[in-house]
């Protein structure tokens, strides 16, 4: 999530409180010379590692609890799995928002890049750190729970039987749209200025968005909406079905993120109208 600029003290607003921060440069080589940049990469790596470790363990633990158990309410259930994903995103975004922006998801990073919230260099390096963190997180799960990991498919995302490729792709597009749209709304500088008297935590609605999307799409795709999550599980599990379906968990989230970025920046925030107005207000030299 892009870090919002500080706003005025509660109850005291000025015109600058409602202004958007300047767009990030497309290429910013100076970032490579700053410790804060590498600190952010470390934060994204560790956060994604922890995210995959906890959530994949939850998935495998649930499957082991219901294996051979006739109790339909045995284990944490889909509700518990959804809470694990949403709750971890809430915790990790809260912890890393002030360091890296708390993306923990290549689709979120891609959406923020399209909205010019981060530079191309930062976006690419974030995605690399997130994918490496995801691989390491799932690797830890396999190291600690090897027998259960192998028996219960390693928590890998695959298209469920009975669903078409189009249905799976659509679920990933819409699910990621919900998440990235929530990210933009929760971190909107104008919202921060208007609601500065209310102790609103941006990670809370973001975590709830992840929770709700999981409830809806776990039966279809296992819920990706995070290419790093799907990629890390596929690399460690290394199953043909997981690799065959892998493209769904990249194409779908990236399309959903792009639509969310366009919708928020150019429709809700009228970015295209503002740009046109700015162009018309500047007479030709």
């Amino acid at each position: 999530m892009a870090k919002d600029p500080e706003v005025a003290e509660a109850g005291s607003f000025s015109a600058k409180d409602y202004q958007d921060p300047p767009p990030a440069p497309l290429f910013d080589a100076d970032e490579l010379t700053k410790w804060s940049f590498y600190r952010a990469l470390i934060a994204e790596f560790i956060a994604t590692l922890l995210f995959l470790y906890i959530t994949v363990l939850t998935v495998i633990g649930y499957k082991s609890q219901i294996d051979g158990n006739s109790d339909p309410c045995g284990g944490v259930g889909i509700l518990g799995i959804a809470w694990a994903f949403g709750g971890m995103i809430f915790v990790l975004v809260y912890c890393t928002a002030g360091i890296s922006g708390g993306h923990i998801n290549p689709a979120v990073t891609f959406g923020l890049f399209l909205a010019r919230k981060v530079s191309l260099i930062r976006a690419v390096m974030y995605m690399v750190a997130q994918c490496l963190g995801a691989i390491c997180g799932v690797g830890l799960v396999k190291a600690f729970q090897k027998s259960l990991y192998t028996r219960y498919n390693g928590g890998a995302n695959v298209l469920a039987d009975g669903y078409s490729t189009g249905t799976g792709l659509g679920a990933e597009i819409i699910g990621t749209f919900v998440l990235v749209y929530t990210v933009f709304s929760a971190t909107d500088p104008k919202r921060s200025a208007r609601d500065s008297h209310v102790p609103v935590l941006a990670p809370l609605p973001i975590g709830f968005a992840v929770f709700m999307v999981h409830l809806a799409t776990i039966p279809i795709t296992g819920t990706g909406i995070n290419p790093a999550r799907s990629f890390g599980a596929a690399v460690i599990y290394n199953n043909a079905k997981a690799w065959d379906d892998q493209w769904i968990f990249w194409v779908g989230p990236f399309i959903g993120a792009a639509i969310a970025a366009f919708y928020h920046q150019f429709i809700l925030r009228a970015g295209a109208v503002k740009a046109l107005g700015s162009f018309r207000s500047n007479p030709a030299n």
Side-chain angles (χ1 to χ4, degrees), residues 4 9 33 66 75 77 84 86 123 155 188 217 221 225 259 263-264 269:
D4 291 334
E9 186 177 345
T33 65
I66 65 172
D188 193 325
T217 60
T221 61
I225 69 171
I259 296 172
Y263 176 64
H264 184 270
R269 295 297 304 275

Side-chain angles (χ1 to χ4, degrees), residues 168-245:
L169 184 63
E172 289 297 308
I173 291 173
I174 296 173
T176 311
F177 172 85
V178 171
L179 170 60
V180 178
Y181 173 42
T182 304
V183 169
F184 276 105
S185 298
T187 60
D188 193 325
K190 290 189 176 182
R191 174 182 294 276
S192 297
R194 288 194 301 266
D195 298 340
S196 60
H197 62 290
V198 180
V200 176
L201 291 174
L204 186 58
I206 294 167
F208 264 110
V210 172
F211 167 70
M212 298 303 295
V213 171
H214 273 76
L215 286 182
T217 60
I218 282 177
I220 303 173
T221 61
T223 308
I225 69 171
N226 184 334
R229 177 262 186 272
S230 302
F231 180 71
V235 168
I236 300 301
Y237 185 51
N238 197 27
N239 173 270
K241 172 65 173 174
W243 284 120
D244 288 343
D245 293 343

Side-chain angles (χ1 to χ4, degrees), residues 56-90:
V56 172
L57 265 182
T58 302
V59 172
I60 292 174
Y62 165 66
K63 290 182 177 180
S64 68
Q65 288 173 323
I66 65 172
D67 190 9
N69 186 355
S70 59
D71 181 6
C73 296
V76 298
I78 290 180
L79 184 64
I81 293 173
W83 271 122
F85 279 88
M88 279 304 292
I89 286 296
F90 167 69

Side-chain angles (χ1 to χ4, degrees), residues 24-48:
L26 183 59
F27 297 99
D28 187 4
D30 289 342
E31 286 187 311
L32 298 175
T33 65
K34 298 177 181 177
W35 164 241
S36 60
F37 174 69
Y38 296 99
R39 183 179 62 181
L41 293 180
I42 294 171
E44 288 291 311
F45 171 83
I46 295 297
T48 314

